[in-house]
Amino acid sequence: MAGGDFQADRPIVLVGLMGAGKTTVGRRLAARLGLPFVDTDAEVARTAGLAVAQMFDRLGEAAFRERERDAVARLAAGPPRVIAAGGGAFVDEVGRGLLLASCTTVWLDAGVETLARRVGRDGGGRPLLRGRDPRAALAALAEQRRPFYAAAHFRVDAEGPVEAVADRILAALAGSR
Ligand code: S3P
């Protein structure tokens, strides 16, 4: 199945925890819909000229969050495309408000075991998981962040293969028309 006849009239934003598959599924979804794909982390790194982990180390998390908010504002106001939002982007009140107002937001919801398996034992170099047990860190973040992610327009089960998750998103989007 390709993207069906769903025509995006605004950006589609994937939100959720690290390991939910926002980037992997986002790329697939973008290909299915014939839309460009962009990742807020990549956008922040590009504009800052620093990788996300380096930014946390050298400038601190607050500086990263400020730039992340700028990237969200820019992308939310842009043309239809698929956007993978870094796990904290939708937790920020301003960012969440912008995304809810101008985009279609989809929460990729997966269990902690799945998230932990996907980020790997070293957390894939993610600053918030560094030096911590990824499973415990993700469980704590899930507890804190669920209420924010639950504000997204759609909740999609993010367990299973990429193609199946993309299918579920397309079905949710098509059903909303
Ligand atoms: C973060 C998630 C990361 C990245 C940063 C902080 C978070 O993005 O933005 O390390 O606060 O959850 P991914 O969700 O794409 O891994």
Side-chain angles (χ1 to χ4, degrees):
M1 182 173 98
D5 55 8
F6 176 79
Q7 291 275 332
D9 60 358
R10 61 187 66 198
I12 298 166
V13 185
L14 306 185
V15 306
L17 280 171
M18 297 173 270
K22 303 179 296 288
T23 302
T24 321
V25 172
R27 283 189 198 287
R28 195 65 209 114
L29 182 66
R32 300 261 301 260
L33 290 170
L35 290 174
F37 170 78
V38 61
D39 186 311
T40 60
D41 279 350
E43 190 64 11
V44 170
R46 188 182 64 78
T47 56
L50 272 182
V52 169
Q54 287 176 325
M55 250 180 120
F56 268 70
D57 287 345
R58 296 195 201 162
L59 309 175
E61 180 171 350
F64 168 77
R65 296 297 177 199
E66 217 171 282
R67 295 207 184 225
E68 182 177 55
R69 190 187 277 179
D70 291 347
V72 162
R74 214 167 37 246
L75 295 173
R81 54 191 152 187
V82 176
I83 301 170
F90 201 64
V91 175
D92 175 68
E93 194 178 344
V94 174
R96 188 170 63 256
L98 288 169
L99 293 173
L100 285 172
S102 355
C103 307
T104 300
T105 56
V106 181
W107 172 23
L108 291 190
D109 186 17
V112 169
E113 296 305 331
T114 299
L115 300 173
R117 195 181 63 246
R118 289 185 185 157
V119 299
R121 256 199 299 204
D122 66 352
R126 292 173 175 85
L128 296 185
L129 302 179
R130 225 164 15 192
R132 304 178 65 188
D133 165 29
R135 199 199 163 284
L138 286 162
L141 284 170
E143 175 97 10
Q144 286 164 23
R145 291 181 174 181
R146 271 189 90 83
F148 300 109
Y149 296 144
H153 298 107
F154 297 99
R155 178 195 158 278
V156 166
D157 177 5
E159 301 282 345
V162 174
E163 204 63 41
V165 181
D167 280 344
R168 285 179 210 133
I169 298 174
L170 286 166
L173 295 173
S176 70
R177 288 295 164 86

